Amino acid sequence: MQEIKENWEKIKEYIKTEYELNSVSYNTWILPLDFYKIEENTVFILIPSDNPQAFNYINKKYKHFFKEAISVLFNDSFDIEFVLDNSKEDNEEYVDITQSINYKNANLNPKYKFETFVIGSNNKLAHSAALAVAESPGEIYNPLYIYGGAGLGKTHLMHSIGHFTLESKPDTNVIYVTSEDFTNDVIESIRSGNQSTITKMRDKYRNADVLMVDDIQFIIGKDATQEEFFNTFNTLHLAGKQIILSSDKPPKELETLDARFKSRFAMGLIVDIQAPDYETRMAILRQLAENNAKKIDDDIIKYIAENVKSNIRELEGAFNQIINISRIENTDHITLDTAEKALKNIINQNQNELITPDYILNVVCEEFGVSPEDMRSSRRNQEIVTPRHIFMYLCRQIIDMTYEDIAKYLMKKDHTTVIHGYKRVKEDLLKDPEYANRINNIKVKISPQN
Ligand code: ADP
Ligand code: MG
């Protein structure tokens, strides 16, 4: 089909307008693609890059655009295959870059990538900004500030930037850090009173090419940490290094945020992520279903999408709950009835008694990055003691568990440790508004209606 080759640019233009691609996505992904050849019923398209990451991304996101565009414009149906420009038959020297030092230091969750991030109207802008920054760190939006409620994909996007950057430029020094870890690092090095420890901590962050700090609302108001962060920010920004921040609110609503920060954050781009609409929820659920061995009917997916609306973490929770139930019931066919039963806890969250200790435990574990085994262990380091105490507190507060039952659940012989933990949290809440805010966020996550 000579026609396709001759009208190649027109096809790309059509995709741009028809799918409302913004110019960053278009210029990055579609524009560089060249027509290669047609064989049988397949159009081969050349990706002028030797980057497998780009290949995966384009293949996943844009294949059906080309398919549709060609079928509309030429009234003929073709399959689409992408080919990497350097694709040799024997691509023997494959290196697993995820094993590199830089990759390991970056601290990234392998599941949080652009390829698995579903784009919807709620996150479109944040997604393109993240992609643009990942393509050319330090050059376009600096800092990039992403804000939005819990479970809407901020962390997922940040990690995606990290993966993308490292896969395309493996020698980039990417650092992802939660505000909590950053705070601990700063406090511990200061507490050590040892100048070389402090210098080491500073070097670590100030040598980053891409620094991502997640949930910065937890840094604000902590004097020493905020100061350290401010200096790190300035050093990196001056050197043209990329900074990416996330928070639950826009800078102007972070009340105790130093005015110095507000002006600096405004130098870059501030984007938000909203709660997902119905279509986006459906798309996310379909992706989960695709990656699951069990077949899940569309009416079940619709049922979840109609009932679980607040955020994506809950959407995933609901989905997993159904899979678990079907596993327990040992059935391959999940009926709507099973799904309804499985989701009762999650959907009717104003009925307190339906929130289980397992559920609370999972939310707390996820929040603090510890495992349920850690929580039940006898380990006494602060990283585990804090979430353990918070778990005890929330079990009392949200589902009225007795101290004895909480102790039993955590496999502790003596329930006085639970009393102690509960009291400890209650006292700290009064002393530390930042901490109170954090606990409250966790509470909302567990039980949005309360
Ligand atoms: P946040 O950091 O905003 O609280 P996360 O990034 O931790 O939210 O997202 C919560 C969960 O939802 C994660 O498992 C994440 O992979 C998933 N998720 C969020 N947004 C999307 C999306 N657009 N597509 C697919 N999964 C998503
Ligand atoms: Mg997060």
Side-chain angles (χ1 to χ4, degrees), residues 148-209:
L152 295 180
K154 302 182 295 295
T155 301
H156 189 137
L157 262 188
M158 291 176 112
H159 285 234
S160 306
I161 298 175
H163 285 293
F164 191 100
T165 310
L166 280 167
E167 282 168 24
S168 43
K169 301 186 199 92
D171 52 357
T172 316
N173 185 7
V174 173
I175 300 184
Y176 166 88
V177 69
T178 63
S179 289
E180 209 182 17
D181 289 342
F182 183 80
T183 305
N184 287 342
D185 247 13
V186 173
I187 290 176
E188 269 165 38
S189 72
I190 291 174
R191 199 178 283 149
S192 79
N194 178 334
Q195 196 52 46
S196 85
T197 311
I198 298 180
T199 310
K200 217 168 121 199
M201 178 274 296
R202 288 196 174 135
D203 284 351
K204 172 171 145 196
Y205 293 108
R206 293 179 196 184
N207 285 330
D209 298 310

Side-chain angles (χ1 to χ4, degrees), residues 112 116-119 123 149-157 214 284 287 312-313 316 366:
Y112 292 172
T116 54
F117 191 86
V118 174
I119 305 165
N123 60 27
L152 295 180
K154 302 182 295 295
T155 301
H156 189 137
L157 262 188
D214 207 351
I284 289 170
Q287 172 170 290
I312 295 162
R313 189 173 291 128
E316 290 182 342
E366 182 172 351

Side-chain angles (χ1 to χ4, degrees), residues 380-420:
R380 303 220 30 93
N381 39 335
Q382 208 51 46
E383 293 85 70
I384 295 171
V385 170
T386 304
R388 197 185 281 140
H389 284 169
I390 291 175
F391 171 76
M392 295 167 176
Y393 172 81
L394 292 172
C395 285
R396 292 257 340 122
Q397 284 278 316
I398 302 179
I399 51 177
D400 285 325
M401 269 173 96
T402 62
Y403 293 124
E404 286 83 356
D405 282 347
I406 298 172
K408 237 186 258 155
Y409 182 84
L410 288 175
M411 305 198 296
K412 303 257 171 278
K413 284 199 203 86
D414 186 358
H415 73 272
T416 54
T417 53
V418 181
I419 299 180
H420 167 75

